[in-house]
Amino acid sequence: MNPARRTTPAATTATAVVLATAGALLGTAAPVASAATTCNSPVYKRQFFANTALSGTPKRTDCDAAVAENWGAKAPATGLPKDNFGIRWTVTRDFGSGGPFALTVAAQDGIRVYLDGKAKVNLWKNVTTTQKKTVNLTIPSGKHTLRIDYANFTGNANVNFAYAPRTSTAVDKVKPLAPTAPTVTYDKTTGKAKLTWAKNKEMDLAGYKVFRRLKDAAFGTKPLTTTTSTSYTDAPLPETGATYYYEVRAYDKAGNVSTGSADKAVTTVDTTAPAAPTGVSDNGTITPVAEANLNWYPNTEPDLAGYRVYRSASEPVALTADNLVSGSSWTGSWYDDKLPPTGGSFYYVITAVDTHGNESAASLTAVYESVDTTKPTFAPDDLKAVDGERGVSLTWTWGPDADEDIAYFYVYRDGIGFTTAGESYVDTEIGRSTTHTYWVRAVDRQGNFGPASDSVTVDHVGDYTAPAAVTGLTATAMENGVRLDWDDSPAEDVADYRIHRGVYADGAWTYTDITDSLPYSSVWSRNWDPNLPDGEKLRYVVAAIDNDGNVLDIGSATSVDVAELNVIPTETYPDESAILHLESEDFAGEAHLTVNYTADRDTYGTAIGYHVYRWDRAKGAYARLTETPRPVTKNHYSDYAAPTGTTLFYKVTAVYADGTESAPVGDHVLRADSSEA
């Protein structure tokens, strides 16, 4: 490593991943060196001395994000000797509620670690190999100072120190401190309450739990939300004038939960309308009647003033003065209304009104048919049928002398009514080379049918011509399969495209229709075949198909050959073993793994977790993604940093308490390219 690496400018905050710890007292700290340089916690202040006693004025002072150096036989910095030098790292930070920590050291030659001036590690001797030690201890709550003194006497020089909380549930019994400085604001416009609080200092903090209760009620055991943020905006609260209280509790990685913060209250505005009346849609008639008899279930709001009844000849029923038939406040839960004697459908909805003037949403709709049994007298005129390649086009005429309440026309084919229409219709649901007879009838708003028009018979020839071969077909080998692209077919009746993949074996090509398995719609003139790139030679055939099912055969369609890339790792593993099973998928824009561990089949013991590795093609090796073993109970793992547009290979190993790992299992996932979607 380079001398004096990972330095940071004075007074610059850096994030360090550091471990922590316990042990017997070793002695009194050495004198503190110059404090001229300021380094923001948790960054260390580092001082270089030209002696192993760490005495006198430091030769150099800077900031260091971590204690992790390997100078070999070289001097640690310009102006210092390569032997008999010393370095001191110091940092003061707030440990929150404190708790069990582990201090981990490794050094050649001497190292001492002090907590608040008391030595916890003392390995101060000239050695020829790296000496290592881990000390467990409990750090009290609040601010504490760590100091690491290192001395190189002769020979190679290296030093590593880290501190971290011990988060095992069997070890860590210390609750986090209660969150402080909670505040809550309420937005009367949106009805949302926003709660904020100060960030806890614990290094093993996992997050916060937010609770909400109504006034005079207790907080439940289930939090409103769990978050790692220091703020939470609640969903819009019911605007009923009620008072709600909020509380925040911190929890750590061992599952310890703090006491609650100070409660903070908000009181909502009262703009809540009554509930929409229920039971209204149970009313209505299928047969025409002269009077609508409405009943509904009474509302139970204490501030209910009454109801309003609305009627309309169309749906949805607008809540307007023109449609109001009951007056501004009807006090009963029933209403009788004489229907207009015009025939047709009439739609009723009911609303509830409270004493503050808030009106509910409309109820479900009740439909009544008014008495009107007069059938239309009009028969559609001048019915014509014209045969076309894709169907039969029907047209007819009607004018001002027709019945005013005609709603639509019903089309008959070969004596069977099959669809409704306006003033024309194109029948495409018929086979090629068939003969059909059509006529049309008018239907009024009450569903009464008028007389039939004159009939017309037509021979339908249909379309027997397949679209021409596509042009511009290309196949591009990608790290995640093969990208296909071709020109849009100029045929007007193209329904979609059929894509076949061919594999060459035994002197012949064998084709598989892969259209329905491809990720992009078959109506596009491009697609992606997510096929594992293993160096195989493939042939793709693409043909356009029209609405009548006409399509070129494989021998006449356009084809293109492509040689896949080969991205298979030099190390491959089965996707399951006796104890592990791995499945991977490209899900919701991320690489997602499912790891199942079967403990009762594990002859080596019970795993404490598992490690996830991803193949690094550039380095030709698997790189571990999990810093610490992931608990086997959390069998879903999302690789948020996984690159897109490629094929990713993963392996997973079970990890035991002694740090050993099981034989791996592996799987791959084809990652889509977002630019292709």
Side-chain angles (χ1 to χ4, degrees):
M1 295 188 179
N2 295 327
R5 67 174 184 86
R6 282 192 318 281
T7 59
T8 58
T12 298
T13 302
T15 301
V17 178
V18 277
L19 286 168
T21 288
L25 300 180
L26 299 176
T28 305
V32 179
S34 170
T37 299
T38 301
C39 303
N40 292 341
S41 178
V43 173
Y44 295 90
K45 181 169 73 174
R46 179 172 62 174
Q47 298 169 302
F48 295 82
F49 296 86
N51 56 76
T52 58
L54 284 74
S55 60
T57 301
K59 297 296 184 180
R60 175 177 173 177
T61 301
D62 59 15
C63 297
D64 201 356
V67 181
E69 302 290 357
N70 185 353
W71 293 290
K74 298 179 181 180
T78 303
L80 279 94
K82 65 182 183 64
D83 293 319
N84 294 309
F85 63 83
I87 302 175
R88 172 172 291 149
W89 289 266
T90 56
V91 63
T92 299
R93 69 175 300 159
D94 194 330
F95 286 81
S97 59
F101 275 72
L103 304 182
T104 302
V105 299
Q108 179 185 351
D109 294 321
I111 186 170
R112 291 172 178 155
V113 179
Y114 300 86
L115 176 66
D116 295 333
K118 296 182 179 179
K120 302 299 181 181
V121 178
N122 188 359
L123 300 175
W124 202 259
K125 55 185 176 180
N126 189 359
V127 292
T128 58
T129 59
T130 300
Q131 51 187 339
K132 300 179 180 180
K133 186 173 185 178
T134 297
V135 177
N136 296 328
L137 80 169
T138 297
I139 296 181
S141 62
K143 287 187 176 182
H144 300 282
T145 298
L146 281 168
R147 195 184 89 216
I148 301 90
D149 287 356
Y150 169 75
N152 168 251
F153 299 104
T154 58
N156 290 334
N158 65 75
V159 58
N160 280 272
F161 167 75
Y163 65 102
R166 301 172 66 203
T167 58
S168 166
T169 56
V171 174
D172 186 5
K173 305 297 182 182
V174 179
K175 295 180 179 180
L177 299 177
T180 60
T183 62
V184 67
T185 56
Y186 175 69
D187 189 329
K188 294 183 178 180
T189 302
T190 63
K192 295 181 179 180
K194 181 176 182 181
L195 183 67
T196 62
W197 57 92
K199 182 178 181 181
N200 275 46
K201 304 297 185 180
E202 288 84 6
M203 289 177 62
D204 62 344
L205 187 71
Y208 306 91
K209 298 182 179 184
V210 180
F211 294 82
R212 184 187 70 198
R213 65 175 174 86
L214 276 168
K215 183 180 180 181
D216 300 325
F219 288 115
T221 58
K222 184 177 180 180
L224 184 64
T225 190
T226 300
T227 180
T228 57
S229 176
T230 56
S231 68
Y232 173 70
T233 300
D234 200 359
L237 297 167
E239 295 179 339
T240 59
T243 298
Y244 295 85
Y245 287 87
Y246 292 88
E247 177 180 285
V248 187
R249 302 171 193 171
Y251 68 96
D252 62 22
K253 294 178 181 177
N256 301 304
V257 181
S258 75
T259 57
S261 66
D263 292 357
K264 293 296 177 180
V266 296
T267 301
T268 64
V269 296
D270 187 3
T271 59
T272 302
T278 59
V280 178
S281 60
D282 296 338
N283 299 272
T285 61
I286 298 175
T287 58
V289 294
E291 185 177 71
N293 304 121
L294 295 159
N295 293 276
W296 57 91
Y297 298 109
N299 279 44
T300 58
E301 289 85 359
D303 60 346
L304 183 71
Y307 304 91
R308 294 174 184 170
V309 182
Y310 296 86
R311 182 191 70 206
S312 174
S314 62
E315 209 177 9
V317 181
L319 305 183
T320 63
D322 290 341
N323 289 337
L324 183 64
V325 295
S326 65
S328 61
S329 184
W330 177 260
T331 57
S333 59
W334 56 270
Y335 189 78
D336 296 331
D337 184 45
K338 289 190 178 297
L339 290 165
T342 56
S345 299
F346 289 89
Y347 305 90
Y348 289 86
V349 296
I350 317 295
T351 63
V353 184
D354 65 18
T355 55
H356 303 287
N358 297 311
E359 184 177 11
S360 76
S363 68
L364 296 178
T365 305
V367 184
Y368 285 86
E369 293 293 325
S370 175
V371 176
D372 181 3
T373 59
T374 303
K375 295 181 179 180
T377 60
F378 170 75
D381 298 327
D382 195 23
L383 177 63
K384 293 180 180 179
V386 178
D387 184 42
E389 232 185 27
R390 301 176 190 88
V392 174
S393 299
L394 302 171
T395 60
W396 55 90
T397 60
W398 65 305
D401 56 338
D403 300 71
E404 291 183 357
D405 64 343
I406 289 178
Y408 55 89
F409 296 90
Y410 208 70
V411 181
Y412 292 77
R413 181 204 306 129
D414 301 330
I416 299 174
F418 68 95
T419 190
T420 60
E423 298 178 43
S424 64
Y425 181 74
V426 178
D427 186 8
T428 59
E429 301 299 321
I430 52 178
R432 296 176 291 189
S433 299
T434 54
T435 300
H436 302 283
T437 298
Y438 297 91
W439 64 82
V440 182
R441 297 174 68 184
V443 185
D444 67 16
R445 294 185 181 91
Q446 286 70 44
N448 299 309
F449 283 73
S453 68
D454 293 336
S455 63
V456 61
T457 300
V458 62
D459 294 325
H460 176 58
V461 178
D463 179 13
Y464 286 84
T465 304
V470 300
T471 60
L473 176 62
T474 61
T476 305
M478 309 293 289
E479 290 186 356
N480 59 351
V482 177
R483 183 178 63 203
L484 301 171
D485 199 358
W486 59 92
D487 299 333
D488 291 340
S489 173
E492 295 181 357
D493 60 341
V494 167
D496 60 3
Y497 300 92
R498 308 308 299 171
I499 300 96
H500 295 76
R501 184 203 301 134
V503 177
Y504 192 78
D506 299 328
W509 288 95
T510 301
Y511 295 96
T512 302
D513 187 342
I514 61 173
T515 307
D516 295 335
S517 67
L518 298 184
Y520 305 140
S521 170
S522 62
V523 302
W524 292 8
S525 59
R526 63 173 179 173
N527 224 307
W528 165 48
D529 180 13
N531 193 41
L532 178 62
D534 57 3
E536 189 176 21
K537 183 179 180 181
L538 303 175
R539 174 173 291 174
Y540 290 89
V541 180
V542 178
I545 182 170
D546 65 18
N547 292 320
D548 289 299
N550 298 306
V551 63
L552 293 175
D553 59 36
I554 288 180
S556 302
T558 304
S559 66
V560 64
D561 293 350
V562 63
E564 291 182 315
L565 301 178
N566 190 347
V567 299
I568 304 297
T570 57
E571 301 175 35
T572 58
Y573 304 98
D575 63 1
E576 72 177 323
S577 65
I579 61 171
L580 286 174
H581 178 68
L582 174 62
E583 294 179 359
S584 60
E585 61 178 333
D586 190 19
F587 178 73
E590 63 188 41
H592 183 76
L593 279 67
T594 301
V595 182
N596 291 312
Y597 169 69
T598 306
D600 57 3
R601 296 182 184 176
D602 195 342
T603 59
Y604 299 101
T606 300
I608 62 170
Y610 60 90
H611 274 314
V612 179
Y613 299 78
R614 188 202 313 138
W615 178 255
D616 188 329
R617 198 174 304 138
K619 296 181 178 179
Y622 280 93
R624 198 174 76 187
L625 304 181
T626 47
E627 292 187 10
T628 58
R630 186 171 178 83
V632 294
T633 56
K634 296 182 178 180
N635 67 333
H636 295 293
Y637 178 85
S638 294
D639 186 2
Y640 296 106
T644 60
T646 187
T647 302
L648 302 176
F649 294 85
Y650 294 91
K651 73 173 183 179
V652 174
T653 61
V655 183
Y656 303 94
D658 62 357
T660 58
E661 300 181 42
S662 71
V665 297
D667 198 12
H668 72 273
V669 59
L670 299 165
R671 294 280 281 144
D673 186 344
S674 59
S675 65
E676 291 293 312

